């Protein structure tokens, strides 16, 4: 099947925010940063408190009955026709690309397709729907960037991060070798095949360190957890953040807000 | 090769220990990393200036159209080939295909077979079978020749000996054939060529694979670089081609589209050195070519896959190997780790239905689902989606879609199933989820520093003091 061509909506007044379970528990600052960036663009952000997880972990592990009941619990949370923005390529990919398959031949087929069609990866949304203009207030710095495989291949947003960082006058972006190679996270893959995953993240950290940058940003918290966890355990001089946290921090003069 | 050579068959179930071994073998790691990096950049360069997406779309459509008419095309192919004087045989499985090859050899009183590269013959384990029948089978593709010398199986479908570097090959040839120890690739190639030339001249039968079988004209197409394919199919008095039933395409125009994709995807070449088109045995007025040509059409589970809407996509494969070259897992562990005829991403989606999920249950899970394979596949096989499908089958994880692949459910364990049930229960209930996560955040200091396999390589992720849910609720959201 051909991949659908992306047709961006015009900038809306309101969006739904799907926070993802990793952000919820481990990186809420990235979620807050995403919301604040949207609000600064004049968009009202609706966060349905009943959201939990997109269902991806069970889906990729083959437990589709379990994935479906979790995913079904999300389907009713977005009744209005507003875009659903997700600060993660991976969860975005699950909702946009896999919900229609997961609910095929069920009573929720149409609803799932309706949700899927409104899902946007948040940085893509900021750049291509909001046409955000970033004003860099930070000190000169150099960063590398790791785009998650789902962000790159399922959501097709590999160009977005570099474009956003390119708007920051004091930030130099350096590219690592084999930038498009997986960091080895892959959800439960990291636990099912720990040694292979370990070898993958080891090389990813090496190439990031080789850029000379001490910091990197990424689109996804899974990668962040994986790369940072390895770097920290093995005392490598590199640490990463979610790109949304980084963008907000550098363009916001009121440092105390929301942190 | 003597008849006593032990069979190099590898147990697919030993995936984990072999992965462990490969990961701790710096030579293997380095050989693969270097080779795959080279292949990736060559492919990239070969497609420069092309509208790759349109080309892939075309490739996918050619294959889809061929598969849609597979039964008719096979009939047409058989008829055309027969008209052209090529004898067609049908084999239900590998064993039957082996017996067909043997019977042809026996009828010709053949004692030696020279072979061009053919993955189907690996699938059939033809060499091993022929050896048992007292017929010598010698691989003539340089990579296959090296692998055979080492009594190993190929570690890649295009480059069988890619796991070895020049030094290792030199030592192997020195030990087995008495060539001088040398790192000079020219010298080693020439030495192997010399050894093979003699065999070519004396072989009774040549066995080759097929890249495309054209139904309209009854033409067998064979792509290769070394000339051994041409020798195999022309020098011995009898040529036997073996192929999977899916390799048929309607007409010659289809071949040009697929060929453009195949060579660029595989080795980054715009065109290969040789492109053989075989359409008949030697005619009365011709100077060379075999007296007899046979085609063995091998099913070996393919018609079962063909019945399934999703798995059917697997049969689009043109065996370019690009999915392996770009697979971060394959690059780390190498082809032998898989213990299967086809390694890497294509192996993970093809082998489970050839050997059953009870044997191959680790295969679909040994992927981070990064999608690199699907992105490069020239015929757009949705490999990651098929991996998820097979994972579902391996745990019987979907009551809506009953499992179909042999050995389904083999990977399901009561503990894992219970974990997912609990996970699902919790994440389908927002109140419980919020309470649970709030509780975890509040007592995050009690979080254990170790978390199974994760923390063997990494520090544990740290829970935030307040969940996003909490922070937003406090902001009145
Ligand atoms: S699955 Fe695709 S990329 Fe892999 S070998 Fe087959 S055609 Fe090539």
């Amino acid at each position: 099947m051909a991949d659908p061509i992306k047709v961006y909506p015009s900038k809306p007044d309101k969006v739904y925010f799907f926070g993802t379970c990793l952000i919820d528990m481990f990186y809420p600052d990235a979620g807050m940063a995403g919301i604040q960036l949207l609000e600064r663009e004049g968009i009202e952000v609706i966060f349905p408190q009943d959201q939990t997880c997109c269902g991806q972990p069970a889906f990729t592990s083959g437990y589709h009955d379990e994935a479906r009941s979790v995913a079904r619990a999300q389907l009713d949370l977005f009744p209005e026709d507003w875009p659903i923005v997700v600060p993660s390529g991976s969860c975005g990919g699950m909702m946009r690309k896999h919900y229609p398959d997961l609910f095929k031949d069920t009573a929720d087929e149409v609803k799932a397709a309706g949700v899927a069609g409104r899902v946007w990866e948040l940085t893509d949304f900021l750049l291509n729907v909001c046409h955000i203009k970033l004003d860099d207030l930070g000190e000169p710095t150099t960063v590398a960037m790791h785009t998650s495989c789902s962000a790159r291949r399922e959501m097709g947003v590999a160009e977005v991060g570099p474009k956003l960082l390119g708007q920051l006058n004091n930030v130099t972006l350096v590219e690592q070798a084999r930038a498009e190679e997986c960091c080895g996270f892959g959800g439960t893959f990291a636990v099912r095949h720990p040694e292979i995953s370990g070898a993958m993240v080891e090389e990813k950290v090496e190439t990031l360190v080789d850029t000379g940058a001490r910091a990197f940003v990424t689109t996804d918290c899974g990668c962040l957890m994986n790369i940072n966890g390895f770097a920290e355990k093995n005392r490598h001089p590199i640490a990463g953040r979610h790109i949304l946290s980084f963008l907000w921090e550098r363009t916001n003069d009121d440092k105390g807000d929301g942190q | 090769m003597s008849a006593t050579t032990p069979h190099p068959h590898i147990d697919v179930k030993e995936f984990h220990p072999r992965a462990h071994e490969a990961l701790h073998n710096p030579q293997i790691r380095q050989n693969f990393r270097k080779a795959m990096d080279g292949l990736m950049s060559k492919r990239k360069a070969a497609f420069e200036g092309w509208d790759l997406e349109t080309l892939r779309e075309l490739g996918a459509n050619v294959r889809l159209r061929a598969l849609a008419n597979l039964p008719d095309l096979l009939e047409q192919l058989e008829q055309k080939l027969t008209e052209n004087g090529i004898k067609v045989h049908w084999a239900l499985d590998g064993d039957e295909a082996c017996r067909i090859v043997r019977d042809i050899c026996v009828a010709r009183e053949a004692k030696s077979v020279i072979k061009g590269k053919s993955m189907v013959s690996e699938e059939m384990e033809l060499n091993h079978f022929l050896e048992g029948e007292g017929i010598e089978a010698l691989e003539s593709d340089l990579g296959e020749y090296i692998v055979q010398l080492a009594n190993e199986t190929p570690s890649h479908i295009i480059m069988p000996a890619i796991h070895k570097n020049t030094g290792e090959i030199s030592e192997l040839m020195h030990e087995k054939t008495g060539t001088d120890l040398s790192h000079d690739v020219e010298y080693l190639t020439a030495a192997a060529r010399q050894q093979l030339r003699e065999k070519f001249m004396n072989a009774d039968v040549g066995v080759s694979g097929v890249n495309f079988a054209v139904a309209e004209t009854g033409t067998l197409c064979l792509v290769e670089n070394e000339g051994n394919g041409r020798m195999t199919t022309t020098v011995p008095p009898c040529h036997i081609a073996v192929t999977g039933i899916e390799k048929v395409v309607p007409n010659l125009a289809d071949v040009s589209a697929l060929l453009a994709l195949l060579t660029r995807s595989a080795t980054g070449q715009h065109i290969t050195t040789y492109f053989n088109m075989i359409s008949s045995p030697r005619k009365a007025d011709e100077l060379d070519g075999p007296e007899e040509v046979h085609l063995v059409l091998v099913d070996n589970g393919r018609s079962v896959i063909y019945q399934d809407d999703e798995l059917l996509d697997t049969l689009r494969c043109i065996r370019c190997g690009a999915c392996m070259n770009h697979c971060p897992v394959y690059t780390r562990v190498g082809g032998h780790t898989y213990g299967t005829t086809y390694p890497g991403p294509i192996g993970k989606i093809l082998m489970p239905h050839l050997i059953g999920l009870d044997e191959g249950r680790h295969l679909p899970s040994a992927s981070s689902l990064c999608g690199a394979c699907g992105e490069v596949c020239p015929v757009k096989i949705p490999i990651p989606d098929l991996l998820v499908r097979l994972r579902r089958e391996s745990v019987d994880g979907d009551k809506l879609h009953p499992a179909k692949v042999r050995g389904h459910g083999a990977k399901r364990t009561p503990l894992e199933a219970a974990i997912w049930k609990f996970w699902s229960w919790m994440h389908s209930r927002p109140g419980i989820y919020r309470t649970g996560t709030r509780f975890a955040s509040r007592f995050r200091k009690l979080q254990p520093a170790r978390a199974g396999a994760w923390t063997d390589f990494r520090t544990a992720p740290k829970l935030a003091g307040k969940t996003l849910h909490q922070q937003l609720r406090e902001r009145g959201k």
Side-chain angles (χ1 to χ4, degrees):
Chain A
M1 242 196 297
D3 300 321
I5 297 165
K6 266 194 253 182
V7 181
Y8 293 106
S10 53
K11 189 174 157 187
D13 296 334
K14 293 182 182 179
V15 295
Y16 287 114
F17 193 88
F18 188 81
T20 91
C21 56
L22 284 186
I23 283 196
D24 193 29
M25 293 178 66
F26 296 102
Y27 304 100
D29 65 301
M32 290 305 294
I35 289 169
Q36 284 161 315
L37 284 162
L38 285 162
E39 287 174 344
R40 198 173 63 195
E41 294 304 302
I43 294 176
E44 190 184 334
V45 179
I46 314 294
F47 181 84
Q49 274 279 337
D50 279 353
Q51 59 180 275
T52 60
C53 167
C54 64
Q56 193 199 44
F59 178 75
T60 53
S61 299
Y63 286 85
H64 288 200
D65 287 330
E66 282 76 5
R68 206 176 293 114
S69 66
V70 170
R72 185 177 289 120
Q74 319 306 316
L75 291 184
D76 290 326
L77 304 177
F78 316 102
E80 303 296 333
D81 201 22
W82 307 323
I84 304 159
V85 294
V86 188
S88 152
S90 163
C91 314
M94 175 68 197
M95 297 171 84
R96 189 171 179 112
K97 188 171 169 234
H98 302 298
Y99 272 15
D101 286 341
L102 189 60
F103 288 97
K104 209 167 123 204
D105 306 326
T106 72
D108 297 306
E109 192 169 356
V110 175
K111 200 182 279 174
V115 166
R118 285 187 282 140
V119 168
W120 297 96
E121 193 273 342
L122 182 47
T123 56
D124 192 18
F125 190 83
L126 287 169
L127 182 73
N128 291 311
V129 178
C130 302
H131 304 290
I132 194 169
K133 292 280 165 286
L134 297 168
D135 191 9
D136 192 0
L137 306 172
E139 295 296 310
T141 188
T142 301
V143 293
M145 167 145 197
H146 173 72
T147 304
S148 81
C149 299
S150 333
R152 178 183 298 277
R153 303 195 175 102
E154 287 191 339
M155 299 302 276
V157 303
E159 320 268 280
V160 171
K163 276 191 188 150
L164 288 171
L165 294 170
Q167 289 188 15
L168 301 175
N169 290 334
N170 288 330
V171 174
T172 312
L173 176 64
V174 285
E175 174 136 335
Q176 76 274 32
R178 298 189 282 268
E180 62 291 322
E181 197 167 271
C182 177
C183 73
F185 176 62
T188 52
F189 168 76
V191 192
R192 283 183 205 280
H193 296 276
E195 287 192 294
I196 303 175
S197 171
M200 286 162 72
V201 67
E202 179 185 6
E203 286 181 41
K204 182 56 71 183
V205 167
E206 273 165 20
T207 54
L208 284 169
V209 170
D210 285 348
T211 61
R214 289 300 179 93
F216 74 95
V217 295
T218 176
T219 46
D220 275 74
C221 291
C223 312
L224 190 58
M225 217 171 232
N226 186 33
I227 301 173
N228 271 357
F230 186 91
E232 196 178 281
K233 176 150 183 151
N234 298 283
R235 303 207 165 75
H236 286 289
I238 190 140
R241 317 198 48 195
H242 196 288
I243 186 170
L244 293 168
S245 308
F246 184 75
L247 293 178
W248 174 249
E249 192 180 278
R250 289 200 70 92
T251 57
N252 161 47
D253 46 10
D254 181 8
K255 290 276 187 268
D257 190 19
Q259 295 294 312
Chain B
M1 301 278 112
S2 76
T4 53
T5 312
H7 186 206
H9 185 76
I10 309 173
D11 183 359
V12 53
K13 279 181 278 195
E14 297 294 300
F15 181 87
H16 271 121
R18 274 196 310 272
H20 174 85
E21 224 172 274
L23 288 166
H24 290 87
N25 182 337
Q27 191 65 64
I28 285 279
R29 286 281 294 273
Q30 204 194 338
N31 290 356
F32 273 95
R33 180 83 258 179
K34 216 173 132 214
M36 298 307 124
D37 280 353
L39 286 163
M40 284 194 275
S41 64
K42 273 166 126 183
R43 172 188 174 273
K44 208 169 174 187
F47 280 117
E48 228 145 72
W50 288 71
D51 180 356
L52 182 53
E53 278 324 292
T54 308
L55 208 58
R56 285 175 72 226
E57 194 69 40
L58 178 69
N61 284 338
V62 168
R63 290 300 296 140
L64 282 168
R65 195 157 41 82
L67 289 172
N69 299 315
L70 188 61
D72 290 346
L73 288 176
L74 283 168
E75 237 172 72
Q76 192 187 1
L77 178 72
E78 178 174 33
Q79 194 193 334
K80 273 286 157 197
L81 286 172
T82 313
E83 278 170 32
N84 295 352
I86 295 177
K87 225 174 153 314
V88 178
H89 312 259
W90 299 85
L92 209 59
D93 56 20
D95 288 345
E96 191 180 353
C98 282
R99 287 196 299 271
I100 292 170
V101 174
R102 177 202 54 201
D103 292 347
I104 299 169
C105 290
V106 168
R108 294 197 61 95
E109 294 175 11
K111 283 277 150 245
S112 68
V113 167
I114 191 98
K115 286 188 64 217
K117 223 186 108 31
S118 152
M119 283 313 291
V120 177
S121 77
E122 300 288 342
E123 204 180 311
M124 296 153 55
E125 300 184 13
L126 179 63
N127 293 359
H128 182 63
F129 177 89
L130 289 179
E131 260 175 46
E133 301 282 321
I135 300 169
E136 183 196 46
L138 187 76
E139 296 291 347
S140 66
D141 171 272
L142 195 54
E144 291 278 356
Y145 175 71
I146 292 161
V147 169
Q148 194 178 28
L149 278 184
N151 191 31
E152 290 174 355
T153 53
S155 60
H156 189 286
I157 64 173
I158 300 289
M159 286 138 298
I162 197 122
H163 55 292
K164 293 194 186 300
N165 61 25
T166 318
E168 291 166 304
I169 292 169
S170 164
E171 270 165 42
L172 177 71
M173 286 182 63
H174 174 69
E175 189 194 314
K176 295 282 166 100
T177 68
T179 50
D180 294 342
L181 280 173
S182 161
H183 280 226
D184 181 2
V185 178
E186 299 277 320
Y187 166 77
L188 294 172
T189 315
R193 200 171 273 252
Q194 197 51 48
Q195 290 153 14
L196 286 166
R197 275 290 141 95
E198 285 167 31
K199 298 282 182 181
F200 273 120
M201 289 315 177
N202 301 319
D204 303 309
V205 170
V207 171
S208 78
V210 174
N211 288 94
F212 314 106
V214 186
E216 190 189 32
T217 51
T219 312
L220 306 176
C221 304
L222 191 59
V223 181
E224 50 129 357
N225 271 318
E226 296 166 16
N228 68 76
R230 181 151 300 179
M231 301 270 276
T232 304
T233 57
T234 51
V235 179
C238 173
H239 167 214
I240 308 172
V242 288
T243 183
I245 52 170
E246 79 281 16
K247 287 287 182 73
V248 60
V249 293
N251 44 48
L252 285 168
D254 297 325
V255 172
S256 60
L258 293 180
L259 185 62
L261 282 165
L262 172 62
T263 61
R264 286 175 178 82
S265 304
T267 46
Q269 290 171 283
H270 293 267
I271 191 162
T272 48
T273 322
Y274 294 87
F275 181 65
N276 307 287
M277 299 171 90
I278 299 145
S279 47
S280 76
R282 181 199 303 197
K283 298 201 178 99
D285 57 342
E286 286 174 345
L287 291 176
D288 54 15
E291 298 153 9
E292 272 182 42
V293 179
H294 299 262
L295 175 69
V296 186
L297 285 160
V298 185
D299 182 329
N300 206 23
R302 287 163 174 80
S303 54
V304 178
I305 305 172
Y306 189 71
Q307 312 294 325
D308 185 284
D309 285 358
E310 281 176 346
L311 299 179
L312 164 71
D313 287 340
T314 315
L315 298 179
R316 273 190 233 169
C317 177
I318 56 172
R319 308 281 190 263
C320 68
C323 54
M324 302 168 200
N325 303 345
H326 290 75
C327 175
V329 173
Y330 178 92
T331 304
R332 300 309 187 298
V333 301
H336 285 152
T337 293
Y338 296 82
T340 51
T341 307
Y342 303 93
I346 178 63
K348 286 180 214 171
I349 58 168
L350 191 57
M351 295 311 295
H353 28 251
L354 293 185
I355 59 177
L357 275 167
D358 25 17
E359 289 266 315
R361 61 173 170 274
H362 299 299
L363 298 174
S365 80
S367 160
S368 64
L369 296 180
C370 75
C373 51
E375 185 181 54
V376 295
C377 176
V379 289
K380 297 186 87 164
I381 301 177
I383 304 175
D385 294 346
L386 289 168
L387 287 169
V388 172
R389 151 83 195 259
L390 290 167
R391 288 182 186 189
R392 192 182 86 201
E393 300 250 331
S394 69
V395 295
D396 269 342
D398 190 351
K399 289 195 195 72
L400 264 184
H401 303 97
K404 292 184 193 158
V405 179
R406 191 156 42 89
H408 58 83
K411 204 166 187 297
R412 191 183 187 92
T413 62
L415 176 66
E416 198 181 283
I419 290 173
W420 285 116
K421 248 203 172 66
F422 174 74
W423 175 89
S424 173
W425 177 83
M426 171 165 169
H427 288 85
S428 315
R429 286 165 182 75
I432 288 170
Y433 170 83
R434 276 196 301 269
T435 313
T437 50
R438 202 169 49 222
F439 190 79
S441 297
R442 165 104 33 97
F443 295 103
R444 69 188 201 281
K445 297 263 153 54
L446 303 177
Q447 189 191 350
R450 285 199 45 80
W454 175 271
T455 43
D456 288 348
F457 295 91
R458 315 161 187 85
T459 53
K462 289 167 201 62
L463 287 160
K466 269 185 191 171
T467 64
L468 184 66
H469 274 85
Q470 279 174 279
Q471 296 192 26
L472 288 168
R473 185 160 272 194
E474 283 168 15
R475 271 188 53 180
K477 289 243 169 211

